Amino acid sequence: MTEQQKEIETIKPRTYSLNLSDADVKRIAKTAGAYGLTVSELLENFIGDLVAGTYSNGSDERMYADQWAERCWFSLDPEKNLVQYLCSEAWEFDFSDLMNVLERIDDIKSDIDLTKKNIAEPDDKWKDIVYHKYNDDRTSYECVPCYNSLEEYVASEKQDLVDYQESLEEALEELKDYQNSFDTYMNGKEYVWEEEVQKATIWYKENIADKLDITSAEEVE
């Protein structure tokens, strides 16, 4: 299956909100109608050329759409921020990279909090933690307790806590690499990293994740 065929299989209606005057609604409708198209069809064709998309009307059309974008006000000395950095193909990292590490950090922190609670306030739930012990031909199994005592369970949780903390340090170092690369992109311009990450996360959710109905950055490639 070609890459285009894979993309075609994902085509479905998408909803975007546009701010238009009443006059512009009439103008875009008349423009589309003059070509025998609906407004949605007209915008689909333009987007396809602008992003060299799944469907395009040709190389000249892509060239002129790109020239249009490059001549618009938003391309003239745009304000640098993390969203623009992550959307630029000229730099090392993208949204999937950042969202994955942020998601991993949140998950590890949650695991650390739960493990600390299990160590400080253990209850009898450790008795219900089992593993499957299969017979020789793996046709059946019995449930065997993972722990023989509360002390054994707590010791295991303490080791898990060490492992989680090491994983957190690694993830934070990875996040630092992203920040260092972004710092190079900003070229001395002052910024607050936490604010940039928050704004980028909101932008990602509203413009990518919600449109693709996904909950994990790993699903976006």
Side-chain angles (χ1 to χ4, degrees):
M1 182 181 294
T2 67
E3 190 63 32
Q4 185 186 39
Q5 288 173 323
K6 292 179 182 178
E7 291 185 9
I8 290 172
E9 290 187 351
T10 68
I11 292 177
K12 65 179 181 180
R14 315 281 180 171
T15 301
Y16 290 88
S17 178
L18 304 177
N19 294 313
L20 299 173
S21 67
D22 289 349
D24 282 348
V25 169
K26 295 176 183 178
R27 291 177 183 129
I28 190 64
K30 292 180 69 175
T31 299
Y35 294 108
L37 300 172
T38 64
V39 172
S40 293
E41 289 170 337
L42 180 63
L43 294 177
E44 288 164 9
N45 274 268
F46 179 70
I47 291 171
D49 292 328
L50 180 62
V51 302
T54 302
Y55 288 114
S56 170
N57 292 293
S59 58
D60 284 349
E61 289 80 355
R62 292 192 296 271
M63 177 186 68
Y64 287 123
D66 184 67
Q67 288 179 357
W68 169 83
E70 289 298 319
R71 291 178 63 87
C72 285
W73 62 268
F74 47 74
S75 70
L76 303 177
D77 194 25
E79 180 181 353
K80 288 185 173 183
N81 56 48
L82 186 56
V83 171
Q84 290 180 328
Y85 166 81
L86 294 170
C87 289
S88 173
E89 296 181 356
W91 291 86
E92 182 177 358
F93 302 112
D94 62 17
F95 269 105
S96 294
D97 296 321
L98 179 62
M99 295 303 121
N100 277 331
V101 72
L102 291 175
E103 186 177 287
R104 195 161 75 251
I105 289 171
D106 285 343
D107 289 344
I108 296 172
K109 286 182 177 178
S110 295
D111 289 335
I112 288 175
D113 289 342
L114 178 59
T115 303
K116 285 182 177 179
K117 184 176 184 298
N118 291 339
I119 294 171
E121 304 172 7
D123 53 28
D124 288 339
K125 66 183 179 182
W126 64 270
K127 297 178 180 179
D128 299 322
I129 302 175
V130 299
Y131 69 92
H132 294 164
K133 183 179 180 181
Y134 285 87
N135 59 5
D136 292 339
D137 58 6
R138 299 187 66 82
T139 58
S140 63
Y141 62 84
E142 62 176 317
C143 293
V144 179
C146 290
Y147 308 103
N148 296 316
S149 66
L150 175 61
E151 291 75 19
E152 187 178 338
Y153 166 71
V154 171
S156 176
E157 289 294 290
K158 287 182 178 179
Q159 181 57 55
D160 286 344
L161 182 59
V162 171
D163 294 339
Y164 288 141
Q165 289 172 333
E166 290 178 354
S167 296
L168 180 59
E169 289 177 7
E170 292 175 0
L172 290 174
E173 281 298 314
E174 188 175 341
L175 183 62
K176 187 66 176 178
D177 289 340
Y178 300 159
Q179 183 177 358
N180 289 339
S181 181
F182 178 62
D183 194 57
T184 300
Y185 166 79
M186 294 297 282
N187 193 27
K189 179 182 177 181
E190 293 186 2
Y191 65 91
V192 178
W193 174 244
E194 291 75 15
E195 292 179 2
E196 291 291 330
V197 170
Q198 182 181 28
K199 292 176 182 178
T201 301
I202 293 172
W203 191 95
Y204 171 83
K205 181 178 184 302
E206 293 178 347
N207 292 277
I208 298 179
D210 287 354
K211 294 293 183 275
L212 299 178
D213 298 323
I214 63 173
T215 57
S216 171
E218 293 180 354
E219 300 179 52
V220 179
E221 297 296 342

